[in-house]
Amino acid sequence: MDLLFCIPCLFGLEGLCADELKRLNHDNVKAENGKVMFTGGIRDIAKANINTRTGERVLLIIGETAANSFDELFEGVRAMPWEKYIPVTGAFPVKGHSLGSKLHSIPDCQKIIKKAVVERLKLEHKAQQLDETAAKYQIQFAIMDDIATLYIDTSGAGLHKRGYRPVGSTAPLRETLAAAIVKLSRYRGREPVCDPFCGSGTIPIEAALAAINRAPGLNREFAAEKWDWISTDIWSEAKKEARSREFQGDYDIWGGDIDPQCIKIANENAKRAGVAELIRFETSDATSFQRETQNGIIMTNPPYGERVMQQKEAEDLYRRFGVATRKLIDWKMYILSSHTEFERTFGKTAVKKRKLYNGMIKCDLFMYY
């Protein structure tokens, strides 16, 4: 079965996500604005969900239609082959968004799409009614410039929900963004890695998962695991294959935070992720950070000053942290911040900057070599 997939991702991560999918040997990988497309078969649903570090979810593309009017949207959706994927007892709620289009009322679009899918399924399954008592097939729609694309979500909870962080500290960093920072640092498990503002431990945990090449989706479930047209053997084989690619070794990964409660949460999260033995978490003040070793990497996400503390306090923190890091020898630094005056207050101009988004917050990743 030839299928077309879409993986939405945070803006700025499209290239990284596409590279990931290519390394996983997915076909026809193409990066677009805020998403990556690829083609594959049923096995690729399991493979992509289990292994993707930087994508947000794996969507199965059902079709595309013009949507200049509700009638046009209805007819276009009804013509799509929903019966191939949704059984007569399947549950299929509808959600989505519209941008730059005539049909801008989301509730109205939901009703029209739901009605069109119901009619199609009744006809093709030869059913008088649909009770929706079985597995969930979440329908998503995106209407852009009067063109509607319809999907079924194979992931369920977003892929950033790895299963190791049920409780986060203040201002959490999304796991997919933390994984992207690790990728951008080109960390291969050789150098010491430090996060002086570790919070709930997301960056050190993602660094540890990358170091041992552990697939991020091994400790969670996915919506498509309950679908009757995907064999449970496919999921078992994909997980077995992912585990076969893991490494073993000694790694120097450290996380520090001034809040002892954050350190407690970070240790608990690392245990759930299965990497507690690879990371050392300590209560520590980032403004007195120092290391005698050479050639390490700092990856960190200090408080921005808009949610955690006032801007002046954040600027003073950046300044003192900058003073501390100047004692390091041949360390690389990857610092994520939304503060527009970060470089000035940190006291050093970045060699390179990359625009990224932490949720809806526009940030820069400041890179120092």
Side-chain angles (χ1 to χ4, degrees):
M1 185 186 292
D2 290 329
L3 303 171
L4 180 60
F5 299 98
C6 171
I7 297 188
C9 53
L10 295 172
F11 287 108
L13 303 190
E14 299 91 343
L16 290 178
C17 187
D19 287 342
E20 256 194 292
L21 295 172
K22 289 174 184 175
R23 289 177 183 274
L24 290 167
N25 296 316
H26 290 293
D27 295 328
N28 303 312
V29 176
K30 181 183 177 184
E32 297 184 7
N33 197 22
K35 61 187 177 182
V36 180
M37 318 286 280
F38 70 98
T39 60
I42 293 175
R43 293 180 184 278
D44 291 288
I45 294 176
K47 186 177 177 181
N49 272 299
I50 291 167
N51 292 285
T52 303
R53 296 185 191 278
T54 57
E56 292 301 312
R57 58 184 63 248
V58 181
L59 302 176
L60 172 60
I61 300 176
I62 307 302
E64 188 177 274
T65 180
N68 293 286
S69 67
F70 286 123
D71 285 342
E72 191 171 42
L73 176 63
F74 177 85
E75 294 299 336
V77 172
R78 188 171 61 172
M80 296 176 189
W82 298 100
E83 70 282 357
K84 285 186 178 180
Y85 312 106
I86 304 176
V88 68
T89 55
F92 50 100
V94 179
K95 65 180 180 181
H97 63 271
S98 177
L99 184 65
S101 300
K102 299 179 185 71
L103 305 183
H104 52 78
S105 170
I106 301 304
D108 287 337
C109 290
Q110 287 174 299
K111 290 175 186 175
I112 292 295
I113 291 169
K114 180 77 175 185
K115 184 179 178 181
V117 177
V118 166
E119 286 205 10
R120 174 78 185 203
L121 291 178
K122 280 184 176 180
L123 176 66
E124 297 299 326
H125 288 313
K126 297 179 173 56
Q128 293 296 316
Q129 63 180 30
L130 306 171
D131 56 23
E132 299 193 46
T133 56
K136 183 179 177 181
Y137 297 77
Q138 176 69 62
I139 295 175
Q140 291 200 19
F141 65 88
I143 305 177
M144 300 279 289
D145 299 323
D146 300 319
I147 300 294
T149 307
L150 278 295
Y151 314 90
I152 298 178
D153 180 11
T154 72
S155 301
L159 295 183
H160 67 279
K161 295 184 178 179
R162 318 284 208 217
Y164 65 72
R165 197 177 70 172
V167 180
S169 63
T170 308
L173 179 72
R174 188 168 287 204
E175 292 89 327
T176 43
L177 183 52
I181 293 171
V182 174
K183 281 183 173 292
L184 288 168
S185 76
R186 299 185 180 181
Y187 172 60
R188 298 291 185 270
R190 300 185 184 94
E191 314 97 319
V193 165
C194 294
D195 180 359
F197 301 94
C198 74
S200 57
T202 309
I203 291 177
I205 290 170
E206 290 297 326
L209 291 172
I212 63 176
N213 199 37
R214 177 168 295 163
L218 286 174
N219 295 330
R220 55 159 289 175
E221 294 181 345
F222 303 96
E225 287 187 74
K226 297 178 180 177
W227 296 357
D228 58 7
W229 52 275
I230 303 181
S231 166
T232 55
D233 290 343
I234 287 177
W235 293 95
S236 299
E237 289 167 11
K239 289 178 180 180
K240 184 179 178 181
E241 181 188 355
R243 290 191 182 98
S244 73
R245 294 196 298 265
E246 290 187 11
F247 305 139
Q248 288 185 335
D250 296 320
Y251 306 99
D252 184 357
I253 303 173
W254 177 89
D257 200 282
I258 201 168
D259 185 351
Q261 183 62 23
C262 284
I263 297 303
K264 180 175 181 290
I265 292 171
N267 275 309
E268 291 169 354
N269 291 345
K271 287 177 185 175
R272 277 187 288 266
V275 293
E277 72 282 2
L278 305 178
I279 310 171
R280 183 165 47 95
F281 288 109
E282 293 179 332
T283 303
S284 175
D285 187 345
T287 62
S288 57
F289 178 82
Q290 55 182 323
R291 286 292 183 275
E292 299 299 324
T293 54
Q294 297 185 24
N295 302 315
I297 305 175
I298 288 176
M299 309 177 207
T300 195
N301 176 41
Y304 298 159
E306 50 193 71
R307 291 189 294 178
V308 182
M309 58 173 56
Q310 297 299 316
Q311 283 204 353
K312 292 297 181 185
E313 290 176 311
E315 289 177 1
D316 183 57
L317 179 61
Y318 298 159
R319 181 185 59 77
R320 290 187 290 146
F321 179 52
V323 170
T325 60
R326 284 198 258 296
K327 300 173 185 176
L328 300 174
I329 301 172
D330 294 333
W331 277 60
K332 296 184 289 184
M333 294 186 287
Y334 297 81
I335 306 173
L336 185 73
S337 179
S338 69
H339 200 298
T340 55
E341 296 296 315
F342 174 81
E343 288 170 294
R344 177 183 62 79
T345 54
F346 185 64
K348 192 173 183 181
T349 302
V351 175
K352 190 176 180 182
K353 291 190 292 185
R354 185 172 180 136
K355 291 193 185 303
L356 298 172
Y357 281 80
N358 185 9
M360 298 303 293
I361 301 175
K362 184 179 179 182
C363 302
D364 282 296
L365 183 64
F366 298 93
M367 308 181 196
Y368 297 89
Y369 307 139

